[in-house]
């Protein structure tokens, strides 16, 4: 009997969605050329609505064009199937209904045998809940997830797809933004980078940007100095930020170099920001998952305000690289991991083995099919790593 294989991408974008979809479809074209392939539009929202598209012969023949693009051609959304109140308010389900049952019934209606989810921990654990629900009702569904997140914070996966590319793109963005440092005397530049709970992307972006600095030729005699282009502070959620003492250090840099550049994880210092908002009686904006809506809180602006007067900045600029970085096409480093991951994902799915394919930190970083109960989010960045501590020391923060 012909199998029906479904795909969906969900959560925030990462520079792997288009490429992962292409790699999965290519693998099926080799191993199961007669399979029926469908994609749910806008992730779990499309599943709830029964909104899917057929990936026919023409699509399969030309799927490689996706490698040149970022984003997701089939669309994403932030939908949590267990947040009934949010789904009702968005008119995605009716009052009193069970979204999990609606989604499961749609999979049955579409005769889906295999579901591939490309997303983070919420996306993949929700898929596991669907598989368990259907198994309980005697409908077999194999679910194989592919891990994506620019935060690289999925437990126990060493490297999420797209995170390397996002760091490269953040470094590229920074190179142009930091060029603004002498657009006025005594300028403070805050580069805000994605990472609500994990500082990985900020740390890796900083490292890759500084590697770019290492490759450049400098001419300090006319003002083109490494010191002015340097990262002067790197702040992540996992480390305490002593603003008064950091202000003293950064003011010394401002006085000698003439500018200050800060690379900031959007989740750094958030507890202090929320406490300040609540003390002022302000509503703290949160999304369907209960996450703080950082784009409305603006941590970069908050930190800039804390430092500007203290360090004597005459001009302040805050720039966010998040959407630029997360919507890029995959780089070569990521493409290699994407292809190996998707090859294993398809092989596992056809063998009836459910799980999330990733480099298992609890198994020597070997690429494996990891059982769903072992998948979790919010893996912290290890600030004690030697390379990170060495980098902080080099920029004078250690």
């Amino acid at each position: 009997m012909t199998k029906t294989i479904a795909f969906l991408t969900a959560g925030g974008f990462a520079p792997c969605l288009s490429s992962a979809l292409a790699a999965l479809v290519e693998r099926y074209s080799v191993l199961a050329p007669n399979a029926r392939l469908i994609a749910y539009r806008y992730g779990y929202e499309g599943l709830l609505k029964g909104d899917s598209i057929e990936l026919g012969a023409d699509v399969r023949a030309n799927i490689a064009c996706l490698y040149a693009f970022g984003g997701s051609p089939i669309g994403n959304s932030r939908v949590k199937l267990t947040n009934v109140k949010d789904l009702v308010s968005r008119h995605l389900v009716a009052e009193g209904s069970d979204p999990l049952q609606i989604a499961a019934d749609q999979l049955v209606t579409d005769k889906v045998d295999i579901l591939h989810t490309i997303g983070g921990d919420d996306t993949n654990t929700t898929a596991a809940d669907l598989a368990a629900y259907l198994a309980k009702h005697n409908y077999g569904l194999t679910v194989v997830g592919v891990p994506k997140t620019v935060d690289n914070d999925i437990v126990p996966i060493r490297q999420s797809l797209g995170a390397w590319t996002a760091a490269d793109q953040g470094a590229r963005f920074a190179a142009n933004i930091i060029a603004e440092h002498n657009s006025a005397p005594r300028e403070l530049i805050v580069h805000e980078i994605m990472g609500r709970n994990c500082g990985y992307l900020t740390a890796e972006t900083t490292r890759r940007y500084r590697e770019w600095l290492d490759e450049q030729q400098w001419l300090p005699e006319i003002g083109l100095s490494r010191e002015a282009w340097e990262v002067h502070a790197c702040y992540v959620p996992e480390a305490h930020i002593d603003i008064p003492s950091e202000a003293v250090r950064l003011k010394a840099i401002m006085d000698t170099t003439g500018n200050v550049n800060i690379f900031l994880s959007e989740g750094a210092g958030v507890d202090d920001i929320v406490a300040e908002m609540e003390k002022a009686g302000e509503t703290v904006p949160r999304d369907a998952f209960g996450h703080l809506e950082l784009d409305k809180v603006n941590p970069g602006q908050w930190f800039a305000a804390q430092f500007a007067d203290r360090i004597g900045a005459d001009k302040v600029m805050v720039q966010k690289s998040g959407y630029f970085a997360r919507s890029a096409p995959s780089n070569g480093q990521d493409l290699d991991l994407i292809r190996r991951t998707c090859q294993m994902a398809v092989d596992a799915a056809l063998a009836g083995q459910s799980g999330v394919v990733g480099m298992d930190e609890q198994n020597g970083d070997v690429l494996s099919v990891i059982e769903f109960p072992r998948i979790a989010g919010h893996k912290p960045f290890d600030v004690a790593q030697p390379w990170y501590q060495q980098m902080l020391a080099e920029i004078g923060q250690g």
Side-chain angles (χ1 to χ4, degrees):
M1 187 172 69
T2 301
K3 287 185 178 295
T4 296
I5 296 137
F7 309 91
L8 65 80
T9 59
F13 276 177
C16 65
L17 300 174
S18 291
S19 294
L21 180 60
L24 289 168
V25 172
E26 286 181 335
R27 185 67 172 169
Y28 276 112
S29 294
V30 173
L31 298 184
N34 296 320
R36 174 177 174 247
L37 307 184
I38 66 172
Y40 289 107
R41 299 181 70 243
Y42 300 104
Y44 287 116
E45 179 172 327
L47 179 56
L48 287 172
K49 293 178 175 178
D51 182 7
S52 64
I53 53 177
E54 296 275 341
L55 308 184
D58 288 345
V59 170
R60 297 183 213 193
N62 295 285
I63 200 70
C65 74
L66 268 60
Y67 290 118
F69 293 89
S72 172
I74 59 177
N76 279 35
S77 64
R78 291 189 181 274
V79 168
K80 190 174 180 67
L81 295 183
T82 55
N83 190 338
V84 180
K85 182 179 179 181
D86 175 67
L87 297 178
V88 170
S89 70
R90 293 162 64 180
H91 306 293
L92 293 177
V93 300
E95 187 79 48
S97 61
D98 180 355
L100 200 63
Q101 180 181 348
I102 293 171
D105 288 346
Q106 188 62 52
L107 291 167
V108 173
T109 298
D110 292 334
K111 297 181 172 58
V112 173
D113 301 290
I114 294 169
L115 174 64
H116 283 290
T117 55
I118 309 171
D121 61 295
D122 283 325
T123 299
N124 288 307
T125 52
T126 296
D129 290 340
L130 281 170
Y133 180 93
L134 287 167
K136 183 179 178 180
H137 293 81
N138 300 314
Y139 183 90
L141 175 69
T142 300
V143 180
V144 182
V146 174
K148 70 86 200 163
T149 169
V150 297
D151 294 345
N152 195 32
D153 66 345
I154 302 175
V155 177
I157 294 170
R158 170 66 64 185
Q159 191 65 39
S160 296
L161 307 183
W164 282 325
T165 302
D168 268 352
Q169 292 293 318
R172 177 186 169 196
F173 179 94
N176 286 5
I177 294 305
I178 302 302
E180 289 277 337
H181 71 268
N182 55 6
S183 64
R186 300 185 69 86
E187 182 162 359
L188 168 63
I189 295 177
V190 178
H191 174 198
E192 184 181 318
I193 302 166
M194 283 187 165
R196 69 172 59 249
N197 297 302
C198 178
Y200 165 84
L201 184 58
T202 297
E204 186 63 23
T205 299
T206 303
R207 173 160 68 171
R208 294 190 181 216
Y209 171 74
R210 296 187 75 246
E211 288 173 350
W212 177 80
L213 292 180
D214 290 341
E215 298 169 354
Q216 307 311 309
Q217 180 180 348
W218 303 102
L219 196 59
E221 292 83 359
I222 64 166
L224 183 64
S225 70
R226 165 72 184 251
E227 291 75 18
W229 287 72
E230 182 60 272
V231 180
H232 302 122
C234 176
Y235 299 139
V236 298
E238 294 83 356
H240 173 68
I241 305 165
D242 186 334
I243 289 178
S245 63
E246 276 293 276
V248 171
R249 183 179 71 84
L250 295 176
K251 184 177 186 304
I253 294 172
M254 179 70 85
D255 290 343
T256 57
T257 305
N259 65 288
V260 167
N261 306 315
I262 297 174
F263 279 36
L264 170 74
S265 174
E266 64 182 355
V270 160
D271 289 344
D272 292 332
I273 299 172
V274 170
E276 187 175 288
M277 291 179 67
E278 290 176 339
K279 185 178 179 181
E282 299 177 35
T283 300
V284 179
R286 298 186 183 277
D287 65 16
F289 293 88
H291 299 151
L292 189 69
E293 294 188 33
L294 291 167
D295 58 330
K296 296 180 181 178
V297 174
N298 283 316
Q301 296 288 352
W302 188 86
F303 270 92
Q306 305 311 303
F307 284 120
D309 289 340
R310 286 183 169 102
I311 68 175
D314 289 339
K315 180 180 178 181
V316 177
M317 183 170 72
V318 178
Q319 292 290 320
K320 303 179 182 184
S321 61
Y323 293 115
F324 178 88
R326 78 175 197 170
S327 298
S330 307
N331 68 9
Q333 188 180 20
D334 260 318
L335 278 175
D336 175 69
L337 182 57
I338 289 168
R339 288 190 170 108
R340 290 189 290 119
T341 298
C342 291
Q343 177 177 327
M344 182 174 289
V346 171
D347 294 353
L350 291 175
Q353 182 181 10
S354 292
V356 178
V357 177
M359 300 166 68
D360 190 348
E361 290 182 311
Q362 299 166 6
N363 185 29
D365 293 340
V366 174
L367 194 66
S368 314
V369 183
I370 301 169
E371 300 87 348
F372 279 112
R374 294 175 57 207
I375 299 296
H378 310 313
K379 178 179 70 176
F381 172 68
D382 181 6
V383 294
Q385 293 178 82
W387 75 262
Y388 184 66
Q389 287 299 313
Q390 177 62 33
M391 184 175 74
L392 292 185
E394 289 173 1
I395 66 177
Q397 189 178 328

